[in-house]
Amino acid sequence: MILTTIALGGAILGATTIAGLRMTYQIRQATDFRSSAKAIFAADTAVEWGLYQFFNSTTNLPGPTFSDSRTSFSLKCYASSSPDPISCKDPSIDTIRTVGIFGSVNRALELGL
């Protein structure tokens, strides 16, 4: 009887531990949703900035700025003939790769032209 009680108690403890761990991951994911959305929007801004540079290569305007200092982006343009990044104003680009950053969350987008 003691062995049965220990076995059932262990099974219940294991199931409770797994359920608690899964709930912790769900809560963490729900709280990072806002940061993830801001990082996605920053990456989208970078794609639009790359397209603007591509289609309006004669203008030299400053890049987009964000009201929150924790938000930024990285923009790189590539041509199929070279693995190194080139200027987004170059007419030979065929890929725009961006990374939107908000705090410690990074989200990447890629656009093929």
Side-chain angles (χ1 to χ4, degrees):
M1 190 158 135
I2 292 175
L3 187 59
T4 304
T5 305
I6 291 173
L8 284 174
I12 291 171
L13 179 65
T16 304
T17 302
I18 291 171
L21 185 63
R22 288 183 48 110
M23 286 298 293
T24 301
Y25 289 145
Q26 292 289 329
I27 290 170
R28 185 178 302 153
Q29 190 175 29
T31 58
D32 283 348
F33 177 73
R34 179 173 285 177
S35 299
S36 180
K38 288 182 180 183
I40 287 274
F41 290 137
D44 182 55
T45 300
V47 168
E48 291 184 16
W49 177 242
L51 287 172
Y52 180 81
Q53 289 179 347
F54 178 72
F55 289 112
N56 298 305
S57 60
T58 58
T59 59
N60 287 324
L61 296 175
T65 57
F66 298 99
S67 60
D68 190 342
S69 63
R70 298 181 299 163
T71 307
S72 63
F73 65 79
S74 167
L75 168 66
K76 294 182 180 173
C77 297
Y78 296 91
S80 58
S81 59
S82 172
D84 297 325
I86 59 173
S87 170
C88 291
K89 295 179 180 184
D90 191 327
S92 67
I93 69 166
D94 60 0
T95 304
I96 298 175
R97 292 184 184 148
T98 66
V99 177
I101 302 163
F102 180 78
S104 62
V105 178
N106 298 331
R107 297 293 177 255
L109 296 176
E110 181 175 318
L111 174 70
L113 300 173

PDB file of all heavy atoms in Angstrom, residues 51-80:
ATOM      1  N   LEU A  51      13.094  49.479 -49.930  1.00  0.00           N
ATOM      2  CA  LEU A  51      12.363  49.672 -51.187  1.00  0.00           C
ATOM      3  C   LEU A  51      12.352  51.137 -51.603  1.00  0.00           C
ATOM      4  O   LEU A  51      12.477  51.453 -52.791  1.00  0.00           O
ATOM      5  CB  LEU A  51      10.925  49.156 -51.052  1.00  0.00           C
ATOM      6  CG  LEU A  51      10.767  47.637 -51.025  1.00  0.00           C
ATOM      7  CD1 LEU A  51       9.335  47.258 -50.686  1.00  0.00           C
ATOM      8  CD2 LEU A  51      11.185  47.038 -52.348  1.00  0.00           C
ATOM      9  N   TYR A  52      12.214  52.028 -50.627  1.00  0.00           N
ATOM     10  CA  TYR A  52      12.239  53.451 -50.952  1.00  0.00           C
ATOM     11  C   TYR A  52      13.591  53.836 -51.564  1.00  0.00           C
ATOM     12  O   TYR A  52      13.653  54.557 -52.560  1.00  0.00           O
ATOM     13  CB  TYR A  52      11.973  54.298 -49.708  1.00  0.00           C
ATOM     14  CG  TYR A  52      11.991  55.780 -49.999  1.00  0.00           C
ATOM     15  CD1 TYR A  52      10.873  56.402 -50.539  1.00  0.00           C
ATOM     16  CD2 TYR A  52      13.139  56.539 -49.780  1.00  0.00           C
ATOM     17  CE1 TYR A  52      10.888  57.757 -50.834  1.00  0.00           C
ATOM     18  CE2 TYR A  52      13.167  57.891 -50.074  1.00  0.00           C
ATOM     19  CZ  TYR A  52      12.043  58.492 -50.599  1.00  0.00           C
ATOM     20  OH  TYR A  52      12.063  59.814 -50.908  1.00  0.00           O
ATOM     21  N   GLN A  53      14.679  53.339 -50.965  1.00  0.00           N
ATOM     22  CA  GLN A  53      16.006  53.634 -51.503  1.00  0.00           C
ATOM     23  C   GLN A  53      16.169  53.051 -52.901  1.00  0.00           C
ATOM     24  O   GLN A  53      16.784  53.664 -53.768  1.00  0.00           O
ATOM     25  CB  GLN A  53      17.094  53.082 -50.585  1.00  0.00           C
ATOM     26  CG  GLN A  53      17.225  53.827 -49.292  1.00  0.00           C
ATOM     27  CD  GLN A  53      18.300  53.222 -48.415  1.00  0.00           C
ATOM     28  OE1 GLN A  53      18.794  52.129 -48.648  1.00  0.00           O
ATOM     29  NE2 GLN A  53      18.677  53.947 -47.382  1.00  0.00           N
ATOM     30  N   PHE A  54      15.631  51.856 -53.127  1.00  0.00           N
ATOM     31  CA  PHE A  54      15.753  51.195 -54.425  1.00  0.00           C
ATOM     32  C   PHE A  54      15.024  51.980 -55.514  1.00  0.00           C
ATOM     33  O   PHE A  54      15.556  52.205 -56.596  1.00  0.00           O
ATOM     34  CB  PHE A  54      15.220  49.766 -54.335  1.00  0.00           C
ATOM     35  CG  PHE A  54      15.265  49.013 -55.629  1.00  0.00           C
ATOM     36  CD1 PHE A  54      16.474  48.584 -56.155  1.00  0.00           C
ATOM     37  CD2 PHE A  54      14.104  48.723 -56.330  1.00  0.00           C
ATOM     38  CE1 PHE A  54      16.522  47.877 -57.350  1.00  0.00           C
ATOM     39  CE2 PHE A  54      14.138  48.026 -57.517  1.00  0.00           C
ATOM     40  CZ  PHE A  54      15.353  47.603 -58.027  1.00  0.00           C
ATOM     41  N   PHE A  55      13.807  52.412 -55.231  1.00  0.00           N
ATOM     42  CA  PHE A  55      13.007  53.098 -56.249  1.00  0.00           C
ATOM     43  C   PHE A  55      13.280  54.597 -56.344  1.00  0.00           C
ATOM     44  O   PHE A  55      12.925  55.229 -57.324  1.00  0.00           O
ATOM     45  CB  PHE A  55      11.516  52.857 -56.003  1.00  0.00           C
ATOM     46  CG  PHE A  55      11.103  51.451 -56.316  1.00  0.00           C
ATOM     47  CD1 PHE A  55      10.698  50.589 -55.305  1.00  0.00           C
ATOM     48  CD2 PHE A  55      11.129  50.972 -57.613  1.00  0.00           C
ATOM     49  CE1 PHE A  55      10.314  49.297 -55.588  1.00  0.00           C
ATOM     50  CE2 PHE A  55      10.752  49.671 -57.904  1.00  0.00           C
ATOM     51  CZ  PHE A  55      10.350  48.833 -56.891  1.00  0.00           C
ATOM     52  N   ASN A  56      13.878  55.189 -55.325  1.00  0.00           N
ATOM     53  CA  ASN A  56      14.201  56.620 -55.322  1.00  0.00           C
ATOM     54  C   ASN A  56      15.686  56.796 -55.037  1.00  0.00           C
ATOM     55  O   ASN A  56      16.074  57.393 -54.041  1.00  0.00           O
ATOM     56  CB  ASN A  56      13.380  57.367 -54.272  1.00  0.00           C
ATOM     57  CG  ASN A  56      11.906  57.291 -54.546  1.00  0.00           C
ATOM     58  OD1 ASN A  56      11.470  57.641 -55.625  1.00  0.00           O
ATOM     59  ND2 ASN A  56      11.152  56.819 -53.579  1.00  0.00           N
ATOM     60  N   SER A  57      16.522  56.266 -55.908  1.00  0.00           N
ATOM     61  CA  SER A  57      17.960  56.246 -55.650  1.00  0.00           C
ATOM     62  C   SER A  57      18.614  57.617 -55.751  1.00  0.00           C
ATOM     63  O   SER A  57      19.761  57.777 -55.365  1.00  0.00           O
ATOM     64  CB  SER A  57      18.638  55.276 -56.613  1.00  0.00           C
ATOM     65  OG  SER A  57      18.420  55.686 -57.952  1.00  0.00           O
ATOM     66  N   THR A  58      17.912  58.621 -56.244  1.00  0.00           N
ATOM     67  CA  THR A  58      18.527  59.941 -56.404  1.00  0.00           C
ATOM     68  C   THR A  58      18.411  60.794 -55.147  1.00  0.00           C
ATOM     69  O   THR A  58      19.121  61.771 -54.996  1.00  0.00           O
ATOM     70  CB  THR A  58      17.879  60.703 -57.575  1.00  0.00           C
ATOM     71  OG1 THR A  58      16.483  60.818 -57.325  1.00  0.00           O
ATOM     72  CG2 THR A  58      18.136  59.978 -58.878  1.00  0.00           C
ATOM     73  N   THR A  59      17.518  60.443 -54.219  1.00  0.00           N
ATOM     74  CA  THR A  59      17.334  61.256 -53.013  1.00  0.00           C
ATOM     75  C   THR A  59      18.202  60.734 -51.883  1.00  0.00           C
ATOM     76  O   THR A  59      18.455  59.533 -51.767  1.00  0.00           O
ATOM     77  CB  THR A  59      15.863  61.249 -52.564  1.00  0.00           C
ATOM     78  OG1 THR A  59      15.478  59.895 -52.298  1.00  0.00           O
ATOM     79  CG2 THR A  59      14.967  61.829 -53.629  1.00  0.00           C
ATOM     80  N   ASN A  60      18.671  61.622 -51.039  1.00  0.00           N
ATOM     81  CA  ASN A  60      19.484  61.264 -49.877  1.00  0.00           C
ATOM     82  C   ASN A  60      18.798  61.743 -48.610  1.00  0.00           C
ATOM     83  O   ASN A  60      19.176  62.747 -48.030  1.00  0.00           O
ATOM     84  CB  ASN A  60      20.883  61.877 -49.985  1.00  0.00           C
ATOM     85  CG  ASN A  60      21.725  61.177 -51.026  1.00  0.00           C
ATOM     86  OD1 ASN A  60      21.622  59.968 -51.184  1.00  0.00           O
ATOM     87  ND2 ASN A  60      22.538  61.921 -51.740  1.00  0.00           N
ATOM     88  N   LEU A  61      17.776  61.050 -48.202  1.00  0.00           N
ATOM     89  CA  LEU A  61      17.062  61.386 -46.979  1.00  0.00           C
ATOM     90  C   LEU A  61      17.592  60.541 -45.828  1.00  0.00           C
ATOM     91  O   LEU A  61      18.084  59.427 -46.033  1.00  0.00           O
ATOM     92  CB  LEU A  61      15.565  61.117 -47.149  1.00  0.00           C
ATOM     93  CG  LEU A  61      14.835  61.965 -48.185  1.00  0.00           C
ATOM     94  CD1 LEU A  61      13.407  61.496 -48.320  1.00  0.00           C
ATOM     95  CD2 LEU A  61      14.873  63.417 -47.770  1.00  0.00           C
ATOM     96  N   PRO A  62      17.483  61.043 -44.587  1.00  0.00           N
ATOM     97  CA  PRO A  62      17.895  60.216 -43.445  1.00  0.00           C
ATOM     98  C   PRO A  62      16.930  59.051 -43.255  1.00  0.00           C
ATOM     99  O   PRO A  62      15.770  59.119 -43.661  1.00  0.00           O
ATOM    100  CB  PRO A  62      17.832  61.191 -42.264  1.00  0.00           C
ATOM    101  CG  PRO A  62      16.881  62.253 -42.689  1.00  0.00           C
ATOM    102  CD  PRO A  62      17.024  62.364 -44.179  1.00  0.00           C
ATOM    103  N   GLY A  63      17.415  57.999 -42.642  1.00  0.00           N
ATOM    104  CA  GLY A  63      16.593  56.815 -42.413  1.00  0.00           C
ATOM    105  C   GLY A  63      15.519  57.050 -41.365  1.00  0.00           C
ATOM    106  O   GLY A  63      15.500  58.078 -40.683  1.00  0.00           O
ATOM    107  N   PRO A  64      14.619  56.104 -41.217  1.00  0.00           N
ATOM    108  CA  PRO A  64      13.547  56.222 -40.238  1.00  0.00           C
ATOM    109  C   PRO A  64      14.098  56.262 -38.810  1.00  0.00           C
ATOM    110  O   PRO A  64      15.130  55.672 -38.530  1.00  0.00           O
ATOM    111  CB  PRO A  64      12.711  54.964 -40.441  1.00  0.00           C
ATOM    112  CG  PRO A  64      13.185  54.341 -41.685  1.00  0.00           C
ATOM    113  CD  PRO A  64      14.523  54.874 -41.987  1.00  0.00           C
ATOM    114  N   THR A  65      13.397  56.935 -37.937  1.00  0.00           N
ATOM    115  CA  THR A  65      13.744  56.956 -36.517  1.00  0.00           C
ATOM    116  C   THR A  65      12.542  56.456 -35.723  1.00  0.00           C
ATOM    117  O   THR A  65      11.404  56.532 -36.177  1.00  0.00           O
ATOM    118  CB  THR A  65      14.113  58.376 -36.045  1.00  0.00           C
ATOM    119  OG1 THR A  65      13.020  59.244 -36.315  1.00  0.00           O
ATOM    120  CG2 THR A  65      15.352  58.870 -36.764  1.00  0.00           C
ATOM    121  N   PHE A  66      12.819  55.951 -34.544  1.00  0.00           N
ATOM    122  CA  PHE A  66      11.774  55.402 -33.686  1.00  0.00           C
ATOM    123  C   PHE A  66      11.681  56.233 -32.416  1.00  0.00           C
ATOM    124  O   PHE A  66      12.684  56.743 -31.916  1.00  0.00           O
ATOM    125  CB  PHE A  66      12.075  53.943 -33.335  1.00  0.00           C
ATOM    126  CG  PHE A  66      12.127  53.044 -34.534  1.00  0.00           C
ATOM    127  CD1 PHE A  66      13.342  52.692 -35.102  1.00  0.00           C
ATOM    128  CD2 PHE A  66      10.970  52.551 -35.104  1.00  0.00           C
ATOM    129  CE1 PHE A  66      13.405  51.869 -36.213  1.00  0.00           C
ATOM    130  CE2 PHE A  66      11.014  51.734 -36.216  1.00  0.00           C
ATOM    131  CZ  PHE A  66      12.223  51.395 -36.767  1.00  0.00           C
ATOM    132  N   SER A  67      10.482  56.350 -31.872  1.00  0.00           N
ATOM    133  CA  SER A  67      10.295  57.128 -30.650  1.00  0.00           C
ATOM    134  C   SER A  67      10.858  56.410 -29.428  1.00  0.00           C
ATOM    135  O   SER A  67      11.196  57.040 -28.442  1.00  0.00           O
ATOM    136  CB  SER A  67       8.813  57.434 -30.440  1.00  0.00           C
ATOM    137  OG  SER A  67       8.083  56.227 -30.319  1.00  0.00           O
ATOM    138  N   ASP A  68      10.972  55.090 -29.491  1.00  0.00           N
ATOM    139  CA  ASP A  68      11.512  54.303 -28.379  1.00  0.00           C
ATOM    140  C   ASP A  68      12.973  53.976 -28.673  1.00  0.00           C
ATOM    141  O   ASP A  68      13.303  53.443 -29.726  1.00  0.00           O
ATOM    142  CB  ASP A  68      10.699  53.015 -28.227  1.00  0.00           C
ATOM    143  CG  ASP A  68      11.027  52.259 -26.958  1.00  0.00           C
ATOM    144  OD1 ASP A  68      12.090  52.517 -26.371  1.00  0.00           O
ATOM    145  OD2 ASP A  68      10.218  51.423 -26.553  1.00  0.00           O
ATOM    146  N   SER A  69      13.864  54.285 -27.747  1.00  0.00           N
ATOM    147  CA  SER A  69      15.293  54.072 -27.982  1.00  0.00           C
ATOM    148  C   SER A  69      15.674  52.592 -28.015  1.00  0.00           C
ATOM    149  O   SER A  69      16.763  52.251 -28.469  1.00  0.00           O
ATOM    150  CB  SER A  69      16.106  54.781 -26.898  1.00  0.00           C
ATOM    151  OG  SER A  69      15.809  54.226 -25.625  1.00  0.00           O
ATOM    152  N   ARG A  70      14.790  51.702 -27.577  1.00  0.00           N
ATOM    153  CA  ARG A  70      15.092  50.266 -27.613  1.00  0.00           C
ATOM    154  C   ARG A  70      14.765  49.630 -28.960  1.00  0.00           C
ATOM    155  O   ARG A  70      15.006  48.454 -29.167  1.00  0.00           O
ATOM    156  CB  ARG A  70      14.319  49.537 -26.515  1.00  0.00           C
ATOM    157  CG  ARG A  70      14.689  49.993 -25.122  1.00  0.00           C
ATOM    158  CD  ARG A  70      13.924  49.247 -24.071  1.00  0.00           C
ATOM    159  NE  ARG A  70      12.487  49.468 -24.230  1.00  0.00           N
ATOM    160  CZ  ARG A  70      11.569  48.709 -23.668  1.00  0.00           C
ATOM    161  NH1 ARG A  70      11.909  47.681 -22.928  1.00  0.00           N
ATOM    162  NH2 ARG A  70      10.285  48.981 -23.843  1.00  0.00           N
ATOM    163  N   THR A  71      14.195  50.401 -29.885  1.00  0.00           N
ATOM    164  CA  THR A  71      13.791  49.884 -31.181  1.00  0.00           C
ATOM    165  C   THR A  71      14.796  50.307 -32.245  1.00  0.00           C
ATOM    166  O   THR A  71      15.189  51.463 -32.315  1.00  0.00           O
ATOM    167  CB  THR A  71      12.404  50.419 -31.568  1.00  0.00           C
ATOM    168  OG1 THR A  71      11.490  50.155 -30.508  1.00  0.00           O
ATOM    169  CG2 THR A  71      11.904  49.760 -32.834  1.00  0.00           C
ATOM    170  N   SER A  72      15.213  49.356 -33.065  1.00  0.00           N
ATOM    171  CA  SER A  72      16.127  49.657 -34.169  1.00  0.00           C
ATOM    172  C   SER A  72      15.954  48.590 -35.248  1.00  0.00           C
ATOM    173  O   SER A  72      15.177  47.648 -35.088  1.00  0.00           O
ATOM    174  CB  SER A  72      17.579  49.700 -33.690  1.00  0.00           C
ATOM    175  OG  SER A  72      17.963  48.436 -33.199  1.00  0.00           O
ATOM    176  N   PHE A  73      16.697  48.737 -36.343  1.00  0.00           N
ATOM    177  CA  PHE A  73      16.658  47.723 -37.381  1.00  0.00           C
ATOM    178  C   PHE A  73      18.003  47.652 -38.075  1.00  0.00           C
ATOM    179  O   PHE A  73      18.822  48.556 -37.995  1.00  0.00           O
ATOM    180  CB  PHE A  73      15.534  47.973 -38.399  1.00  0.00           C
ATOM    181  CG  PHE A  73      15.692  49.219 -39.219  1.00  0.00           C
ATOM    182  CD1 PHE A  73      16.543  49.270 -40.313  1.00  0.00           C
ATOM    183  CD2 PHE A  73      14.969  50.352 -38.913  1.00  0.00           C
ATOM    184  CE1 PHE A  73      16.670  50.407 -41.080  1.00  0.00           C
ATOM    185  CE2 PHE A  73      15.076  51.500 -39.668  1.00  0.00           C
ATOM    186  CZ  PHE A  73      15.940  51.525 -40.752  1.00  0.00           C
ATOM    187  N   SER A  74      18.189  46.538 -38.754  1.00  0.00           N
ATOM    188  CA  SER A  74      19.368  46.321 -39.588  1.00  0.00           C
ATOM    189  C   SER A  74      18.865  46.032 -40.995  1.00  0.00           C
ATOM    190  O   SER A  74      17.945  45.241 -41.177  1.00  0.00           O
ATOM    191  CB  SER A  74      20.169  45.139 -39.043  1.00  0.00           C
ATOM    192  OG  SER A  74      21.126  44.724 -39.970  1.00  0.00           O
ATOM    193  N   LEU A  75      19.478  46.671 -41.985  1.00  0.00           N
ATOM    194  CA  LEU A  75      19.047  46.528 -43.377  1.00  0.00           C
ATOM    195  C   LEU A  75      20.252  46.174 -44.232  1.00  0.00           C
ATOM    196  O   LEU A  75      21.274  46.853 -44.173  1.00  0.00           O
ATOM    197  CB  LEU A  75      18.420  47.836 -43.869  1.00  0.00           C
ATOM    198  CG  LEU A  75      18.153  47.984 -45.362  1.00  0.00           C
ATOM    199  CD1 LEU A  75      17.082  47.006 -45.813  1.00  0.00           C
ATOM    200  CD2 LEU A  75      17.740  49.398 -45.687  1.00  0.00           C
ATOM    201  N   LYS A  76      20.125  45.100 -45.012  1.00  0.00           N
ATOM    202  CA  LYS A  76      21.177  44.707 -45.948  1.00  0.00           C
ATOM    203  C   LYS A  76      20.539  44.300 -47.263  1.00  0.00           C
ATOM    204  O   LYS A  76      19.537  43.596 -47.287  1.00  0.00           O
ATOM    205  CB  LYS A  76      22.003  43.549 -45.394  1.00  0.00           C
ATOM    206  CG  LYS A  76      22.801  43.942 -44.167  1.00  0.00           C
ATOM    207  CD  LYS A  76      23.641  42.815 -43.662  1.00  0.00           C
ATOM    208  CE  LYS A  76      24.392  43.296 -42.434  1.00  0.00           C
ATOM    209  NZ  LYS A  76      25.109  42.235 -41.787  1.00  0.00           N
ATOM    210  N   CYS A  77      21.136  44.764 -48.358  1.00  0.00           N
ATOM    211  CA  CYS A  77      20.649  44.444 -49.694  1.00  0.00           C
ATOM    212  C   CYS A  77      21.698  43.617 -50.411  1.00  0.00           C
ATOM    213  O   CYS A  77      22.898  43.861 -50.256  1.00  0.00           O
ATOM    214  CB  CYS A  77      20.348  45.727 -50.467  1.00  0.00           C
ATOM    215  SG  CYS A  77      19.036  46.717 -49.713  1.00  0.00           S
ATOM    216  N   TYR A  78      21.243  42.641 -51.189  1.00  0.00           N
ATOM    217  CA  TYR A  78      22.156  41.716 -51.864  1.00  0.00           C
ATOM    218  C   TYR A  78      21.801  41.595 -53.341  1.00  0.00           C
ATOM    219  O   TYR A  78      20.642  41.692 -53.713  1.00  0.00           O
ATOM    220  CB  TYR A  78      22.079  40.319 -51.233  1.00  0.00           C
ATOM    221  CG  TYR A  78      22.532  40.269 -49.801  1.00  0.00           C
ATOM    222  CD1 TYR A  78      21.636  40.456 -48.761  1.00  0.00           C
ATOM    223  CD2 TYR A  78      23.864  40.032 -49.489  1.00  0.00           C
ATOM    224  CE1 TYR A  78      22.045  40.410 -47.445  1.00  0.00           C
ATOM    225  CE2 TYR A  78      24.285  39.981 -48.175  1.00  0.00           C
ATOM    226  CZ  TYR A  78      23.370  40.172 -47.158  1.00  0.00           C
ATOM    227  OH  TYR A  78      23.788  40.129 -45.861  1.00  0.00           O
ATOM    228  N   ALA A  79      22.822  41.339 -54.138  1.00  0.00           N
ATOM    229  CA  ALA A  79      22.643  40.986 -55.545  1.00  0.00           C
ATOM    230  C   ALA A  79      22.982  39.511 -55.680  1.00  0.00           C
ATOM    231  O   ALA A  79      23.802  38.976 -54.927  1.00  0.00           O
ATOM    232  CB  ALA A  79      23.549  41.828 -56.438  1.00  0.00           C
ATOM    233  N   SER A  80      22.367  38.842 -56.641  1.00  0.00           N
ATOM    234  CA  SER A  80      22.617  37.413 -56.807  1.00  0.00           C
ATOM    235  C   SER A  80      24.049  37.127 -57.253  1.00  0.00           C
ATOM    236  O   SER A  80      24.543  36.022 -57.072  1.00  0.00           O
ATOM    237  CB  SER A  80      21.627  36.815 -57.798  1.00  0.00           C
ATOM    238  OG  SER A  80      21.737  37.490 -59.044  1.00  0.00           O
TER     239      SER A  80
END
